[in-house]
């Protein structure tokens, strides 16, 4: 009885590890896709209304379902102390801390925006946003392909490793 | 006139400064804060404060550098340069509370026009304050059968034109000493009403419609077309376009309240644009503001019979 319980636990542990790996892939794809949408949204707002960045960040930070809401809320809050910390530092810090799960390449695309956002005319900012959104879109497609290809593999692999351990231990 | 203002406007303005400069002003006595008219930041020098009697360097202030000057702009624009570029091109930046940042430096030119300031060399932060009694004695002298006559207010920069105009607008709109009237206010610099989220931060009266963020000429025309004003008010008429818009408004039976730079009546004849005021008969009253022993004195003249 105890053995069967142990075997079930090992099997479940392996399956959980596989699921975590698969989830991480899905999360990256979802995050990148959401960031693309957010950057496009900022681009449109700049083109149409020249909306100030605090208002934009605050609005994006209120989107409850969005996985990027916390990032934008943090940027909006950081702009309250803009006399103490410049926007570029607020943005860079938020990227580093809120998107620590993303690979450095993905984060670098966002970090580069700190050199342009809020510092130039709307056209230059829109150009930078559009370029970043395109690169993120490409990364999102890669991440989605990876998720489709490796997601199931991770799940099966976790289960297999669990089963293998059970056989070994028995 | 009472010069012992409260220091809240000063405190508001210090929030525009980077933290290292903000700290230096914390030690100023309240009376000094209340009397301060401007803060001046010049590259390579210590920050200074302007009082009615002159400019004084702030002791303990660090030497101002480029990062500090740009820091002020970042704070004032809420880290959104794209929202203020038009104003930067004009050399000033209106900020929340009706205060104004004057900008100086090396201009970036394109096709013969200023597109931006490449490097900043100095900033002047002008503190806006409300003085509710400013127009009390002046307004009765401008009335004709219960309506204000078209009036031009004249003084040198910093003489108190905007303060007087703001109080006249409030009195006309509230109906203090006359039947209340609808006032259309073209507030290009945002100094008169200091709109914030659509709400004036300064008291301009309940029947005042404010148009800001656009040129005076465009603002005047939009007010005239859309808001059916009985009085039109505008600060610092400086261009032929402003004059053309005022001319059109005057032809519609609207009373005008406007300000212009000048030290006296003679300046109206000296400058071509102001000579036009007289030639077209746009204004029937002239208010000249003079500063005597730290107090402002208002003198009202008739303009109807002026020679062209």
């Amino acid at each position: 009885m105890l053995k069967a319980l142990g075997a079930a636990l090992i099997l479940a542990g392996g399956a959980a590890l596989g699921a975590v790996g698969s989830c991480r892939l899905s999360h990256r794809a979802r995050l990148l896709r959401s960031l693309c949408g957010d950057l496009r949204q900022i681009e449109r707002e700049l083109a149409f209304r020249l909306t100030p960045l605090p208002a934009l960040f605050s609005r994006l930070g209120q989107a409850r379902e969005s996985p990027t809401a916390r990032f934008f809320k943090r940027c909006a809050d950081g702009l309250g102390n803009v006399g103490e910390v410049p926007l570029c530092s607020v943005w860079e810090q938020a990227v580093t801390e809120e998107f620590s799960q993303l690979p450095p390449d993905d984060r670098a695309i966002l970090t580069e925006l700190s050199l342009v956002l809020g510092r130039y005319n709307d056209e230059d900012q829109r150009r930078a946003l559009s370029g970043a959104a395109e690169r993120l879109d490409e990364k999102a497609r890669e991440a989605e392909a990876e998720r489709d290809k490796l997601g199931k593999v991770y799940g099966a692999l976790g289960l297999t490793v669990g089963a293998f351990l059970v056989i070994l231990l028995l | 006139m009472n010069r012992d203002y409260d220091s809240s406007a000063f405190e508001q303005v210090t929030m525009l400064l980077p933290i290292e400069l903000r700290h230096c002003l914390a030690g100023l006595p309240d009376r000094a804060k209340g009397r301060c008219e401007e803060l001046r930041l010049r590259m390579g020098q210590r920050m200074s404060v302007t009082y009615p009697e002159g400019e004084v360097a702030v002791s303990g202030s660090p030497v101002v550098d480029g990062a500090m000057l740009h820091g002020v702009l970042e704070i004032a624009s809420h880290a959104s340069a794209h929202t203020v570029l038009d104003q930067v091109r004009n050399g000033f930046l209106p900020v929340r509370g009706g205060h104004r940042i004057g900008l100086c430096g090396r201009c970036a030119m394109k096709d013969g026009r200023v597109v931006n300031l490449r490097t900043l060399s100095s900033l002047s932060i002008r503190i806006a304050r409300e003085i509710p009694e400013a127009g009390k004695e002046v307004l009765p002298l401008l009335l004709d059968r219960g309506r204000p006559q078209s009036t031009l207010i004249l003084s040198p920069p910093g003489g108190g034109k905007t303060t007087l105009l703001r109080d006249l607008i409030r009195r006309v709109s509230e109906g203090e000493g006359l039947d209340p009237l609808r006032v259309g206010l073209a507030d290009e610099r945002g100094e008169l009403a200091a709109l914030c989220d659509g709400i004036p931060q300064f008291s301009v009266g309940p029947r005042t419609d404010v148009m800001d963020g656009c040129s005076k000429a465009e603002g005047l025309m939009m007010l005239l077309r859309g808001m059916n004003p009985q009085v039109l008010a505008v600060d610092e008429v400086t261009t032929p376009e402003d004059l053309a818009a005022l001319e059109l408004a005057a032809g519609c039976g609207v009373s005008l309240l406007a300000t212009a730079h000048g030290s006296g009546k003679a300046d109206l004849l000296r400058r071509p644009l102001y000579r036009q005021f007289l030639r077209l008969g746009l204004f029937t009253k002239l208010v000249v503001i003079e500063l005597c022993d730290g107090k402002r004195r208002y003198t009202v003249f008739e303009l109807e019979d002026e020679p062209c």
Side-chain angles (χ1 to χ4, degrees), chain A residues 46 50-54 56 79 82-88 117-122 125, chain B residues 15-20 22 71 74-83 85-86 89 116:
Chain A
L46 290 184
L50 291 177
T51 314
L53 292 181
L56 270 171
L79 283 181
V82 86
E84 295 159 39
V85 189
L87 167 64
C88 55
L117 278 182
R119 303 179 82 167
Y120 296 97
N121 64 14
D122 62 306
Q125 292 187 66
Chain B
M15 296 310 287
L16 294 166
L17 300 173
I19 195 91
E20 58 267 45
R22 225 179 278 170
E74 189 175 53
I75 298 167
S77 68
H78 303 284
S80 306
H82 56 278
T83 60
L85 271 182
D86 279 345
R89 282 182 202 122
N116 204 344

Side-chain angles (χ1 to χ4, degrees), chain B residues 137-192:
Chain B
E137 291 161 19
V138 177
L139 184 60
L141 304 174
L142 308 180
L143 298 180
D144 178 32
R145 280 168 285 174
R147 275 186 81 118
Q149 296 177 78
S150 290
T151 302
L152 182 67
I153 301 168
L154 212 62
S155 92
K161 297 182 290 294
T162 306
T163 308
L164 174 62
L165 178 61
R166 186 189 299 124
D167 194 46
L168 290 176
I169 292 166
R170 180 188 64 77
R171 285 170 187 275
V172 170
S173 179
E174 284 181 351
E176 281 189 22
L178 71 168
D179 287 336
L181 297 169
R182 281 187 308 278
V183 183
L185 169 57
D187 192 12
E188 180 182 3
R189 299 172 186 223
E191 281 186 304
L192 280 161

Side-chain angles (χ1 to χ4, degrees), chain A residues 7-78:
Chain A
L9 276 175
I10 289 171
L11 210 59
L17 275 178
V20 166
S22 164
C23 255
R24 197 166 281 180
L25 289 177
S26 300
H27 181 64
R28 180 185 170 222
R30 205 156 54 93
L31 210 53
L32 291 174
R33 194 51 73 202
S34 178
L35 277 167
C36 276
D38 294 334
L39 296 190
R40 299 260 186 235
Q41 172 73 11
I42 297 175
E43 199 187 329
R44 278 194 295 273
E45 283 284 338
L46 290 184
F48 190 55
R49 268 193 282 264
L50 291 177
T51 314
L53 292 181
L56 270 171
F57 291 165
S58 168
R59 203 176 305 157
L60 290 168
Q62 283 165 5
R64 281 186 198 157
E65 302 297 318
S66 168
T68 54
R70 228 174 63 170
F71 166 75
F72 285 109
K73 184 172 182 320
R74 190 175 173 150
C75 290
D77 291 346

Side-chain angles (χ1 to χ4, degrees), chain A:
Chain A
M1 176 66 185
L2 212 59
K3 270 187 182 175
L5 193 65
L9 276 175
I10 289 171
L11 210 59
L17 275 178
V20 166
S22 164
C23 255
R24 197 166 281 180
L25 289 177
S26 300
H27 181 64
R28 180 185 170 222
R30 205 156 54 93
L31 210 53
L32 291 174
R33 194 51 73 202
S34 178
L35 277 167
C36 276
D38 294 334
L39 296 190
R40 299 260 186 235
Q41 172 73 11
I42 297 175
E43 199 187 329
R44 278 194 295 273
E45 283 284 338
L46 290 184
F48 190 55
R49 268 193 282 264
L50 291 177
T51 314
L53 292 181
L56 270 171
F57 291 165
S58 168
R59 203 176 305 157
L60 290 168
Q62 283 165 5
R64 281 186 198 157
E65 302 297 318
S66 168
T68 54
R70 228 174 63 170
F71 166 75
F72 285 109
K73 184 172 182 320
R74 190 175 173 150
C75 290
D77 291 346
L79 283 181
N81 305 319
V82 86
E84 295 159 39
V85 189
L87 167 64
C88 55
S89 306
V90 169
W91 178 271
E92 278 171 21
Q93 202 177 346
V95 169
T96 310
E97 289 173 19
E98 293 295 331
F99 300 134
S100 56
Q101 290 170 320
L102 288 179
D105 276 5
D106 296 355
R107 286 206 303 266
I109 298 171
L110 290 169
T111 308
E112 280 168 25
L113 281 176
S114 73
L115 302 171
V116 183
L117 278 182
R119 303 179 82 167
Y120 296 97
N121 64 14
D122 62 306
E123 251 174 66
D124 289 339
Q125 292 187 66
R126 274 159 42 207
R127 208 172 297 136
L129 285 161
S130 170
E134 270 171 35
R135 287 163 68 196
L136 284 175
D137 193 46
E138 205 174 298
K139 292 275 183 193
R141 264 184 272 128
E142 272 175 31
E144 280 157 1
E146 208 173 39
R147 176 199 61 195
D148 294 344
K149 201 167 91 185
L150 296 177
K152 285 175 190 160
V153 174
Y154 278 11
L157 200 66
L159 209 61
T160 313
V161 169
F164 184 67
L165 278 174
V166 168
I167 292 165
L168 268 185
L169 292 171
L170 281 176

